[in-house]
Amino acid sequence: MKAKDISGQAPGGKRVKLAEVLPLKTPFVIQIFPVYACNFKCKYCIFSVGKDKRGFISDRTVMDPDLYKKCVDGMLKFPEKIKLIRFVGIGEPLLHKDIVGMIRYTVSKHVAAKVELLTNASLLTHEVSDALLNSGLSRLVVSLQGTSKQIYEEVCGAKIDFEGFIDNLRYFYEHKKGTEMYLKIVDTALKDEEDKKRFFELFGGICDTIAVEHTVPIHSGIDYTNILEKNRKKVTQFGLPVEELDVCSQPFFTMQINPDGKVVPCYSFEYPGIMGDFNKEDICEIWNGRKFTEFRRNMLEGMKNAGETCKNCNISRFRSFPEDSLNKDRERLKRFYK
């Protein structure tokens, strides 16, 4: 197998201890949510339930490319480069007809050290691969759903040409130069240890890094009873021990920009609040503004005090890393968020 197996590790590599570098005048990560739509309905994902069970997501389905360019231009005002801009959000980014242009514009403005795209790759034709590779994309992350056409249909309700799908992934890998390619799958999409072995055999030779991640109960609208085994060991999405957190670290280092231009403080599918709107406000001012600062201050008092959404959220438990924990530093950090 050519690829490096990074199962059980942070997929982005080594992380700094967050408490030691706060407060941040520039976010480490900005997550772009370009389109609220998906061509899959994975049984563990929010798209497997009706819209009435998803809560508020976005006032628009598709992000306007000109509005996005305005946002990128605003990022130039940050005092430092953003470490990572990630195109993902709630849905399949390749459904956005201008996604390549948005990536290209981001790269051309040099606002981030890395630009990443997370996709199910079902729309990754040879032509799309060429366009993405020419856009300057730093890393392609592919979320796989099975080791056969039949398993794909069972897991995500989609009929795909499985051999053609693998060929398209291979094309991207063989034609890329500076772009990293990471392929991952969740444990519940694998039948058994033999199927896991097949996963590494099928995909381990057509990517740089590869991993088996874990399905975790992060969507309140989904019944995980029949998805997760009752006796499974509690681990994070990345296979690390679950830590009981008093403080969610996400608002301190990241922000998400939705298709309608609204800015939210985390990756939760049930937003604790809207921190700003870059239709009307500067992205830099939103990050360093009063509303975001007050939210962080409330968070340092404990997730229970940050609102009902945060109180009941599982994201911080199941998608966190040890380096991000602020539990022991919350009192010291309060003086920075007044």
Side-chain angles (χ1 to χ4, degrees), residues 135-179:
S135 72
L137 183 69
S138 305
R139 184 162 85 148
L140 180 76
V141 180
V142 179
S143 183
L144 299 164
Q145 307 303 329
T147 57
S148 71
K149 177 181 178 179
Q150 292 75 22
I151 296 176
Y152 255 80
E153 187 168 356
E154 178 185 329
V155 171
C156 55
K159 295 181 179 181
I160 67 169
D161 173 3
F162 192 69
E163 296 305 318
F165 175 70
I166 292 178
D167 175 70
N168 287 333
L169 292 174
R170 183 180 294 108
Y171 180 91
F172 187 97
Y173 179 69
E174 292 178 348
H175 287 78
K176 73 183 188 65
K177 293 180 181 178
T179 306

Side-chain angles (χ1 to χ4, degrees), residues 72-202:
V72 173
D73 292 343
M75 294 177 193
L76 290 166
K77 298 178 184 178
F78 281 121
E80 300 172 9
K81 264 192 178 184
I82 300 153
K83 289 183 181 294
L84 174 66
I85 291 180
R86 176 188 293 127
F87 289 87
V88 52
I90 306 168
E92 171 49 51
L94 290 182
L95 287 171
H96 196 298
K97 64 183 180 66
D98 293 306
I99 190 66
V100 173
M102 292 164 73
I103 293 171
R104 186 184 298 114
Y105 190 80
T106 308
V107 173
S108 71
K109 290 295 181 176
H110 305 287
V111 293
K114 293 183 179 180
V115 180
E116 178 178 279
L117 172 68
L118 178 62
T119 173
N120 62 35
S122 61
L123 302 174
L124 189 72
T125 62
H126 292 189
E127 292 75 17
V128 172
S129 288
D130 290 338
L132 286 172
L133 291 171
N134 290 329
S135 72
L137 183 69
S138 305
R139 184 162 85 148
L140 180 76
V141 180
V142 179
S143 183
L144 299 164
Q145 307 303 329
T147 57
S148 71
K149 177 181 178 179
Q150 292 75 22
I151 296 176
Y152 255 80
E153 187 168 356
E154 178 185 329
V155 171
C156 55
K159 295 181 179 181
I160 67 169
D161 173 3
F162 192 69
E163 296 305 318
F165 175 70
I166 292 178
D167 175 70
N168 287 333
L169 292 174
R170 183 180 294 108
Y171 180 91
F172 187 97
Y173 179 69
E174 292 178 348
H175 287 78
K176 73 183 188 65
K177 293 180 181 178
T179 306
E180 182 189 345
M181 190 176 185
Y182 170 43
L183 303 186
K184 61 174 184 163
I185 195 169
V186 287
D187 53 353
T188 54
L190 297 170
K191 298 292 185 182
D192 48 34
E193 284 300 314
E194 192 64 31
D195 198 28
K196 182 177 179 180
K197 181 180 178 182
R198 175 173 165 77
F199 163 69
F200 285 110
E201 289 174 350
L202 279 173

Side-chain angles (χ1 to χ4, degrees), residues 184-248:
K184 61 174 184 163
I185 195 169
V186 287
D187 53 353
T188 54
L190 297 170
K191 298 292 185 182
D192 48 34
E193 284 300 314
E194 192 64 31
D195 198 28
K196 182 177 179 180
K197 181 180 178 182
R198 175 173 165 77
F199 163 69
F200 285 110
E201 289 174 350
L202 279 173
F203 300 104
I206 54 173
C207 61
D208 300 297
T209 51
I210 192 168
V212 176
E213 295 186 353
H214 298 263
T215 302
V216 288
I218 56 175
H219 303 300
S220 62
I222 296 176
D223 182 0
Y224 287 90
T225 306
N226 296 321
I227 300 174
L228 305 177
E229 304 114 3
K230 290 181 180 179
N231 299 320
R232 73 175 290 175
K233 184 179 178 182
K234 281 193 175 182
V235 294
T236 68
Q237 177 180 330
F238 310 102
L240 303 170
V242 172
E243 180 183 0
E244 295 301 327
L245 300 172
D246 299 320
V247 178
C248 176

Side-chain angles (χ1 to χ4, degrees), residues 11-47:
K14 187 177 180 181
R15 301 173 75 88
V16 300
K17 186 169 174 51
L18 185 62
E20 296 177 355
V21 295
L22 293 180
L24 299 176
K25 292 297 182 183
T26 303
F28 280 168
V29 180
I30 294 183
Q31 184 157 286
I32 308 300
F33 171 10
V35 58
Y36 176 35
C38 192
N39 54 342
F40 283 5
K41 291 185 178 180
C42 300
K43 58 186 179 182
Y44 55 83
C45 175
I46 197 169
F47 278 97

